[in-house]
Amino acid sequence: SGLYLFNHKGEASYVLVFCYLLIFAGIFISFLFISGFAIMLLRMARDEYVTFGYILYGFFKIKTFAPVALIFTFLTGLVTVILVIVTKLISIYSPSLVDYLSQKFNQPSILLLIAVISAVITFFVWFGQVFIFFIKYDNPNKTLIKASFLSSKLVVTNFFKLVGFMLLAGGRNLILAIFYFGVMLSFSTSTDVSIYSVLRVLFNFLYFVNIYKALTLIFLSIPVFYNELTNPKIEINISLKKDADIIDDSKNSDEK
């Protein structure tokens, strides 16, 4: 709704304020859904009872998860503002770069590239808080500052292990998605020949399928990693040799 008003209602100050409020509310609500999705994945990783209704868990426990959703909304808005400022600066001081990109890539490809860059930057901005939903779920009485600090501490101390685990979870699908994305960008520079149009649609579909699978596995790997950090499995090694000696000793004593 906010984007629609931006495009159809001009730039009156009160309309712009209302649009920004709508967009802010939409992002905030989306992160409440994400909190429920994160808890659902955590319960799945722990082999606990779960239903699709857990996607609304953030709304049922809104006092616990609303502050967390607010943090992510603020960080997303911060990234958006930075991208807008950088885009305006580029258009002012380097208009030739904008013309070059417009000639090199078609409009949908530019928007897709901007969306991917925004997603990557946003991810790295709030990557330190990737465990905060799980921490608040396990410790609902813990303050937001303490939960945020604990999440950052866990991420920093296990950064390379976590990133490696996530990339390993994405695996083959992540590699294929990157490959298909590169192919799509190369096709965007081609002329509008029918065969290129068909191939562009095909590789776009293959990219969507593989990136969806990769992101699903990566999202699932995060609660699994957190669960291993907070609840490490204890291996109990039993010496069979000692048990055999005990059995032999008991037999000898019976014979005597």
Side-chain angles (χ1 to χ4, degrees):
S1 300
L3 295 176
Y4 177 83
L5 289 175
F6 268 130
N7 295 327
H8 295 83
K9 297 298 182 182
E11 296 185 358
S13 58
Y14 67 92
V15 175
L16 290 177
V17 171
F18 183 66
C19 292
Y20 284 125
L21 289 176
L22 282 178
I23 295 173
F24 180 87
I27 297 174
F28 176 77
I29 291 173
S30 67
F31 276 114
L32 284 178
F33 278 109
I34 291 173
S35 67
F37 181 67
I39 301 308
M40 184 173 67
L41 292 180
L42 179 63
R43 292 180 65 89
M44 291 172 61
R46 292 175 174 175
D47 292 328
E48 297 178 353
Y49 173 78
V50 65
T51 64
F52 191 73
Y54 273 92
I55 201 74
L56 301 175
Y57 191 85
F59 294 92
F60 296 142
K61 302 289 183 178
I62 194 166
K63 289 184 178 180
T64 301
F65 292 101
V68 183
L70 194 62
I71 282 183
F72 283 104
T73 303
F74 172 77
L75 292 176
T76 304
L78 180 63
V79 172
T80 303
V81 170
I82 293 174
L83 284 174
V84 170
I85 293 174
V86 170
T87 303
K88 286 189 175 295
L89 290 176
I90 291 175
S91 63
I92 293 173
Y93 294 103
S94 299
S96 58
L97 179 60
V98 178
D99 295 335
Y100 172 77
L101 291 175
S102 300
Q103 294 174 1
K104 189 72 174 176
F105 305 106
N106 55 28
Q107 190 68 18
S109 297
I110 294 176
L111 294 176
L112 180 61
L113 186 61
I114 293 174
V116 171
I117 294 174
S118 302
V120 171
I121 296 175
T122 303
F123 175 79
F124 280 105
V125 166
W126 55 255
F127 187 66
Q129 304 303 317
V130 73
F131 294 135
I132 194 169
F133 289 123
F134 312 133
I135 294 172
K136 289 294 288 182
Y137 173 73
D138 289 335
N139 308 275
N141 295 327
K142 190 180 290 294
T143 63
L144 182 62
I145 295 176
K146 290 183 179 180
S148 177
F149 175 78
L150 181 57
S151 177
S152 299
K153 182 179 178 181
L154 289 175
V155 171
V156 170
T157 55
N158 300 276
F159 181 80
F160 293 105
K161 290 182 180 179
L162 175 59
V163 173
F165 190 73
M166 293 170 64
L167 293 177
L168 186 63
R172 175 175 173 270
N173 295 115
L174 183 60
I175 295 173
L176 288 175
I178 296 173
F179 170 74
Y180 292 137
F181 180 75
V183 173
M184 282 193 306
L185 290 180
S186 65
F187 278 144
S188 66
T189 62
S190 305
T191 57
D192 293 331
V193 183
S194 58
I195 183 64
Y196 288 115
S197 300
V198 173
L199 290 175
R200 194 180 300 124
V201 172
L202 175 62
F203 281 104
N204 189 14
F205 173 76
L206 292 174
Y207 164 76
F208 175 78
V209 171
N210 282 277
I211 196 64
Y212 177 80
K213 290 181 180 179
L215 290 178
T216 301
L217 294 172
I218 288 173
F219 275 119
L220 183 58
S221 70
I222 296 174
V224 172
F225 191 88
Y226 168 80
N227 197 42
E228 289 297 322
L229 284 178
T230 54
N231 300 294
K233 295 181 180 178
I234 301 175
E235 295 184 358
I236 301 176
N237 296 320
I238 300 175
S239 176
L240 298 178
K241 183 178 179 180
K242 290 183 179 180
D243 291 342
D245 293 340
I246 294 173
I247 294 174
D248 291 338
D249 292 340
S250 63
K251 285 183 178 180
N252 292 333
S253 61
D254 291 340
E255 290 176 358
K256 291 179 181 180

